[in-house]
Amino acid sequence: MLMILSQNLASQTNSALLTPTEPDGSVSLELSELLPENVKTHPERFFQVYVNHDHNAHLELAIQGTYSLNGNALSFSPIYPFDLGISYTVKYRSSLATEEFLIQSFIIGENQIVTSPEVLNIYPTGEFLPENLLRFYIYFNNPMEKGYANTFIQLTNAEGDVDSNAFMEFKDELWSANGKRLTLLFDPGRIKQGVSTHSELGPPLLEGNNYKLTISASWQDVYGQKLSVNTIKKIEAVHAYRDKINYNDWTILEPEANSKLPLEIHFDRMMDHALIRSMIRISKKDETSICGFWDFSDHEHSAYFIPEENWVTGDYIITIDRNLEDITGNNLHGLMDTFGKEKTQKSISDLKIPFSIQ
Amino acid sequence: MNFKLLIILFLAMITSTSSNAQDIQSLGKLHFNSDGILFAGDNVSGAVLAFNFTSEITPSETFEINIYNVDAQVAAILGTLQDQIQINDIAVHPTSREVFISVTRGHGDNALPALLKVDAENNIHTIDLSKVEFTSQSLLSVPHSSHKLALRGSMGSPPTKKDIAKSKQSLRILTVVDMEFYKGELIVAGLSNEDFNSVLRRLPYPFEGEESISSVEMYHIAHDQYESRAPIRSMVIKNINGRDQLVAAYTCSPLVLIPLEDITHNTKVKARTIGDMGNGQPIDIVPFKLEGEEMLFVTNNSRSPRVIPVKGLHNAKVVSKEDFERGPKLDLGPIIPYGPMGQSIMFTGASLRIDLLNDHQFVSLNRDIETGSLDLVTFNTKMPFKMHNIVGEFDIPTPSSN
């Protein structure tokens, strides 16, 4: 996240207010002294962010959002992104010792440094992908112009022929709220066996063949800047995932106590990385959640959970929503494509895998 | 099953259990069931959502809500300007009596859904949609975004700028117009993409991807014709003549009964017209009790609210074309209002959305008639008006009191 140092620092206080330059940025107050624990309970006493009073003269209502504390820096992220071009005011205390508030305003979109757009990642990250792959996730650094996915993204075979029916044409494209992640879903009719388009057109990816997914350099971000280069992902289609996810084959590697080393889960196949983030929860035995973030390796065959705080010895539980999917849409209930196979009964309870840290 | 339907069912299956905030594209109509599950219509994505607010607690005493310029206040806490806020609906939680508000923040491609609640202290809280659990189900056969409302002027005058803006609205905005919860099912009134556009959908809850659709036809007294395109605007479920029935209101403004057992998949339901409230577009029907008697409070965007005694709906005459002379029936003619439609009552300002706050008060999203401000205010059910815009005999002091 880009931050610029506020020009109007109260020099005698040694505090620094960092204001955002992007709509999804946050406001951060750094004090020279270490913030006491009680700041956590009433962070709003140290600073609050308002829509500028010029716009809302009769209001004293602060923007709602979440505060986070890191060392001697207190940050505020609004629930909704800041708007471009309107003025915001920060009321903040320059030090713990004073009850006096300083005022600092900022506008996003003026003098801001906007980085050039680029494709950051395409998931699944592997080159060898099963022919019944369900979706791609494409991550951009800037929010992109919506409504052009089918114009600027193409799937071509080794001969260079474009498959213009490969992806689902949605009434609305599947973008994340910040406009930086596109979910590109293959037309399920092409993947599912026994459906007429599958029989007529065949699957978009056919085992043993090579393809290219190309994201055109002509696509613009919301600031009107084009991606500078074509982004090409090479794909070789391999055998479809037609077997149920076998979680008994997963390997869990426990981290060491008093470390922030990752908890490792090695799956029996490539899993949907985005669903891992929302559908796998790590908690202590008493159900208190462990905060942390996920990272992936081995082309999403493995997921690493890195905790915010050091692990402590004790018993833990990995709770997995059975709607967690592999990259072809099979979940822990059963197969996405049940053609010619028995349908399985849904189990309502989450999958729970215990582990201990010694 | 045709291929198109298979695809739709397939998509319904893969989205029915998601809980990512980015899946919520809009929040429109709201409806609580008695347990505290909040249902919301997402007309942009063509889905219904269910939020679990079953753990809210009962307040120690009843409270009033009076928030003036509520749209400006919502704008301030969502970090934007008043003109970026559109309040879509309100709903009172069955236990906590807190008022939940659905909002669209921003316009066009930048529009984001927001859900807020007002507590007993009149504080407004944003509900962080990225942290709240919900389930959803995509609806079958939703109107295409590209199908728009018809362009028309009024009484021989050409369409105005506002008429033209109206005609650019997609029929999709009428996918979910009203909802009721009944014995484990969500009943949704709105439009479909089929030839007969007005439909009632039934979805078992918890959502499992199942949905039945019935088209609805009714005799429209004022238009003197059978109609099946315009959606039901508002509805409630009442036991009438020993059967659980929808009491539903249409624009210009028939009131109809629909026995719930008639609403079965792939059928055309013939609604039973029992009255006409007069021209205008109904907004909400709120059941309440007035001195022990069951009443319906029916708000309208073009006229004063009407209070309809439920007992008058029992044994009401069901009418059809045969009961009237041919030709339209206007407000100024002798026929309208027709049937057991109760009485039009005094109400100050215009209620844009209303719900029952407690056993003797309504809470209304109200447009002040003098200032135009948008307020969230409490009204007594017996005398639903405020004094601040009224100056009469009792506002002038008697000489002796000065």
Side-chain angles (χ1 to χ4, degrees):
Chain A
M1 186 188 314
L2 284 172
M3 293 274 202
I4 53 168
L5 201 60
S6 165
Q7 297 155 354
N8 189 22
L9 292 181
S11 54
Q12 70 276 29
T13 63
N14 298 322
S15 70
L17 185 74
L18 298 160
T19 56
T21 55
E22 290 186 358
D24 60 354
S26 56
V27 179
S28 191
L29 178 67
E30 286 184 13
L31 293 171
S32 52
E33 56 227 294
L34 200 64
L35 294 171
E37 269 299 293
N38 67 9
V39 172
K40 272 187 183 168
T41 49
H42 288 293
E44 72 283 358
R45 289 182 188 167
F46 291 83
F47 79 91
Q48 289 193 297
V49 186
Y50 299 81
V51 175
N52 194 312
H53 289 203
D54 294 345
H55 299 301
N56 278 299
H58 60 293
L59 290 175
E60 280 290 338
L61 287 172
I63 299 171
Q64 293 182 350
T66 49
Y67 288 87
S68 54
L69 189 59
N70 191 2
N72 59 348
L74 184 61
S75 296
F76 171 78
S77 300
I79 294 174
Y80 288 83
F82 294 110
D83 284 345
L84 295 173
I86 76 170
S87 173
Y88 294 96
T89 299
V90 189
K91 267 173 75 178
Y92 66 103
R93 264 157 72 168
S94 55
S95 86
L96 294 177
T98 174
E99 289 292 322
E100 202 178 309
F101 282 90
L102 301 174
I103 299 287
Q104 172 69 35
S105 291
F106 65 92
I107 296 175
I108 293 174
E110 284 191 356
N111 306 322
Q112 79 179 61
I113 311 149
V114 179
T115 49
S116 302
E118 56 182 306
V119 175
L120 296 178
N121 283 307
I122 302 174
Y123 281 86
T125 56
E127 181 178 339
F128 298 93
L129 297 171
E131 71 167 23
N132 58 343
L133 177 70
L134 182 60
R135 50 170 99 79
F136 290 108
Y137 295 97
I138 304 172
Y139 288 83
F140 301 89
N141 62 335
N142 287 354
M144 298 299 288
E145 202 90 77
K146 291 177 188 171
Y148 295 97
N150 277 312
T151 310
F152 292 121
I153 302 179
Q154 285 188 333
L155 183 74
T156 47
N157 63 16
E159 284 75 46
D161 302 328
V162 178
D163 185 344
S164 52
N165 299 308
F167 300 110
M168 202 58 203
E169 284 213 34
F170 275 103
K171 47 205 181 204
D172 300 294
E173 293 169 351
L174 302 174
W175 285 95
S176 59
N178 66 8
K180 296 181 182 181
R181 188 189 80 181
L182 173 70
T183 305
L184 190 63
L185 197 66
F186 277 106
D187 182 342
R190 297 278 301 276
I191 304 172
K192 277 199 111 174
Q193 301 169 100
V195 174
S196 61
T197 38
H198 178 270
S199 318
E200 288 159 18
L201 300 174
L205 305 177
L206 198 60
E207 184 178 348
N209 290 285
N210 290 294
Y211 300 88
K212 280 180 190 170
L213 184 76
T214 306
I215 299 157
S216 166
S218 304
W219 200 348
Q220 294 186 351
D221 64 14
V222 295
Y223 311 112
Q225 310 177 105
K226 286 182 180 169
L227 291 167
S228 49
V229 290
N230 284 341
T231 306
I232 297 169
K233 178 180 177 62
K234 289 184 184 168
I235 299 156
E236 184 176 334
V238 296
H239 194 58
Y241 283 179
R242 302 265 180 235
D243 298 324
K244 287 181 196 167
I245 295 173
N246 187 359
Y247 44 78
N248 294 320
D249 276 358
W250 294 358
T251 313
I252 315 287
L253 296 180
E254 298 90 357
E256 285 172 25
N258 307 317
S259 78
K260 284 186 186 171
L261 290 172
L263 167 72
E264 298 181 23
I265 308 177
H266 301 282
F267 303 105
D268 62 327
R269 60 185 68 200
M270 291 181 267
M271 298 298 285
D272 185 302
H273 79 291
L275 295 179
I276 286 174
R277 290 197 169 114
S278 60
M279 293 187 172
I280 304 188
R281 194 167 65 88
I282 314 297
S283 62
K284 297 196 81 168
K285 202 180 173 187
D286 64 5
E287 292 285 308
T288 47
S289 288
I290 308 295
C291 295
F293 62 93
W294 288 98
D295 201 0
F296 307 95
S297 78
D298 195 15
H299 304 313
E300 298 82 68
H301 268 103
S302 303
Y304 293 158
F305 178 81
I306 298 125
E308 279 180 7
E309 314 271 342
N310 278 353
W311 295 106
V312 293
T313 53
D315 293 331
Y316 293 81
I317 301 169
I318 305 171
T319 303
I320 304 171
D321 185 328
R322 287 183 193 266
N323 294 303
L324 178 69
E325 294 175 4
D326 67 20
I327 58 171
T328 69
N330 301 318
N331 60 26
L332 305 195
H333 297 295
L335 296 176
M336 170 76 157
D337 186 352
T338 51
F339 184 74
K341 305 204 175 173
E342 261 182 52
K343 293 195 178 177
T344 43
Q345 202 64 35
K346 277 193 169 186
S347 163
I348 293 164
S349 63
D350 292 330
L351 173 67
K352 292 189 187 282
I353 304 175
F355 70 97
S356 318
I357 295 179
Q358 310 292 336
Chain B
M1 185 183 294
N2 67 26
F3 167 65
K4 193 174 132 200
L5 190 59
L6 185 70
I7 290 292
I8 292 166
L9 285 175
F10 180 81
L11 288 173
M13 186 184 85
I14 62 172
T15 56
S16 65
T17 50
S18 68
S19 56
N20 270 335
Q22 64 211 30
D23 295 330
I24 306 176
Q25 298 197 35
S26 66
L27 290 174
K29 188 71 197 171
L30 300 178
H31 179 75
F32 271 111
N33 75 2
S34 56
D35 297 331
I37 300 292
L38 178 65
F39 296 99
D42 178 351
N43 283 337
V44 174
S45 72
V48 284
L49 315 168
F51 298 90
N52 188 333
F53 292 114
T54 51
S55 54
E56 309 274 312
I57 47 171
T58 312
S60 52
E61 52 192 20
T62 60
F63 53 87
E64 288 197 12
I65 287 173
N66 290 296
I67 297 176
Y68 303 106
N69 298 296
V70 64
D71 50 347
Q73 299 205 26
V74 167
I77 66 176
L78 297 183
T80 189
L81 306 182
Q82 189 175 351
D83 64 6
Q84 300 296 307
I85 295 297
Q86 180 185 309
I87 296 182
N88 298 318
D89 201 11
I90 63 169
V92 174
H93 189 281
T95 312
S96 72
R97 314 314 296 182
E98 291 172 319
V99 181
F100 284 66
I101 305 174
S102 61
V103 165
T104 304
R105 181 197 185 280
H107 302 289
D109 272 359
N110 295 321
L112 293 171
L115 186 64
L116 304 103
K117 74 169 182 182
V118 181
D119 67 18
E121 282 75 45
N122 283 225
N123 292 318
I124 310 173
H125 306 271
T126 312
I127 291 162
D128 188 343
L129 294 173
S130 67
K131 291 182 180 149
V132 68
E133 293 228 339
F134 67 93
T135 58
S136 68
Q137 183 167 328
S138 294
L139 297 172
L140 302 178
S141 192
V142 298
H144 285 303
S145 305
S146 56
H147 291 170
K148 312 281 180 183
L149 290 168
L151 176 63
R152 59 182 186 135
S154 53
M155 300 303 288
S157 301
T160 62
K161 236 181 180 176
K162 287 194 173 183
D163 292 328
I164 293 166
K166 172 189 164 192
S167 74
K168 289 184 175 163
Q169 291 185 289
S170 165
L171 293 183
R172 179 70 73 74
I173 62 167
L174 299 170
T175 307
V176 179
V177 183
D178 201 10
M179 294 179 283
E180 278 291 307
F181 189 78
Y182 177 78
K183 294 184 180 170
E185 279 188 312
L186 186 67
I187 302 178
V188 179
L191 290 194
S192 85
N193 206 27
E194 302 300 325
D195 295 341
F196 295 102
N197 280 323
S198 171
V199 292
L200 285 166
R201 304 165 188 270
R202 294 178 80 142
L203 291 79
Y205 179 80
F207 297 137
E208 286 291 345
E210 273 179 63
E211 176 182 348
S212 80
I213 310 185
S214 321
S215 57
V216 193
E217 185 188 73
M218 55 90 196
Y219 176 65
H220 195 295
I221 298 172
H223 297 165
D224 188 27
Q225 61 179 7
Y226 289 91
E227 297 190 346
S228 55
R229 301 206 302 273
I232 288 168
R233 299 304 315 190
S234 187
M235 59 188 184
V236 291
I237 294 167
K238 283 280 150 197
N239 191 286
I240 310 285
N241 299 331
R243 290 200 283 178
D244 288 336
Q245 307 206 42
L246 283 180
V247 181
Y250 284 89
T251 297
C252 287
S253 288
L255 197 76
V256 304
L257 299 179
I258 304 171
L260 289 173
E261 72 241 27
D262 286 6
I263 310 168
T264 53
H265 187 49
N266 264 340
T267 53
K268 184 195 268 184
V269 177
K270 287 195 187 318
R272 294 151 197 206
T273 305
I274 55 164
D276 191 308
M277 296 174 281
N279 283 329
Q281 182 160 296
I283 304 173
D284 284 310
I285 306 179
V286 182
F288 72 108
K289 282 197 171 156
L290 192 62
E291 289 160 359
E293 194 184 332
E294 277 195 290
M295 298 285 184
L296 302 177
F297 193 84
V298 186
T299 55
N300 192 301
N301 78 359
S302 321
R303 59 200 309 149
S304 224
R306 206 163 249 289
V307 173
I308 302 177
V310 173
K311 71 176 181 196
L313 308 183
H314 293 277
N315 302 313
K317 179 179 163 61
V318 176
V319 296
S320 66
K321 213 163 178 173
E322 285 70 46
D323 295 294
F324 299 94
E325 286 181 21
R326 296 288 69 81
K329 318 286 183 295
L330 302 178
D331 269 357
L332 292 175
I335 308 286
I336 304 292
Y338 180 86
M341 297 296 99
Q343 293 183 51
S344 173
I345 52 141
M346 176 184 177
F347 188 86
T348 39
S351 174
L352 306 187
R353 298 289 183 272
I354 195 162
D355 201 355
L356 196 64
L357 182 62
N358 52 51
D359 62 3
H360 66 283
Q361 288 174 314
F362 297 120
V363 60
S364 173
L365 179 69
N366 231 60
R367 186 69 73 186
D368 189 281
I369 208 73
E370 295 289 343
T371 65
S373 70
L374 194 62
D375 307 326
L376 190 67
V377 282
T378 301
F379 288 97
N380 189 285
T381 51
K382 195 172 180 184
M383 296 178 81
F385 53 83
K386 298 286 186 196
M387 285 299 172
H388 66 264
N389 287 330
I390 307 277
V391 177
E393 179 76 3
F394 307 117
D395 296 294
I396 316 295
T398 55
S400 60
S401 70
N402 265 9

